[in-house]
Amino acid sequence: SEYDGVGIPMRITQGEFSPVEAQRVGRVLAERHPRRERVFLPCGHMAPVTHSDHFNAVTLDFLRSES
């Protein structure tokens, strides 16, 4: 897979109530990427829109921790 050789850190942020298909994509990415962190937010699939404060906070936390 194209993701197998990616060496940069990755945070996979998903909603706990996202559709099964979206959760499957996140699971596959997490299984294949060596430097990944998977985070679940208490929402559906559109976290950046519906829960932007929470999504932005966990995203900024990740970016700060990797800089």
Side-chain angles (χ1 to χ4, degrees):
S1 162
E2 295 175 12
Y3 290 104
D4 292 344
V6 177
I8 60 171
M10 176 190 290
R11 175 173 278 178
I12 302 162
T13 305
Q14 292 187 272
E16 290 179 36
F17 309 111
S18 290
V20 173
E21 296 82 7
Q23 291 193 23
R24 186 178 307 126
V25 169
R27 185 182 71 247
V28 169
L29 285 173
E31 290 170 353
R32 298 200 70 125
H33 195 285
R35 294 185 62 199
R36 80 340 195 172
E37 177 181 340
R38 193 171 178 202
V39 176
F40 289 92
L41 300 181
C43 61
H45 187 63
M46 297 298 294
V49 175
T50 62
H51 293 73
S52 59
D53 289 343
H54 195 175
F55 178 83
N56 291 342
V58 298
T59 300
L60 288 172
D61 178 59
F62 173 72
L63 292 173
R64 288 181 183 121
S65 72
E66 294 299 329
S67 59

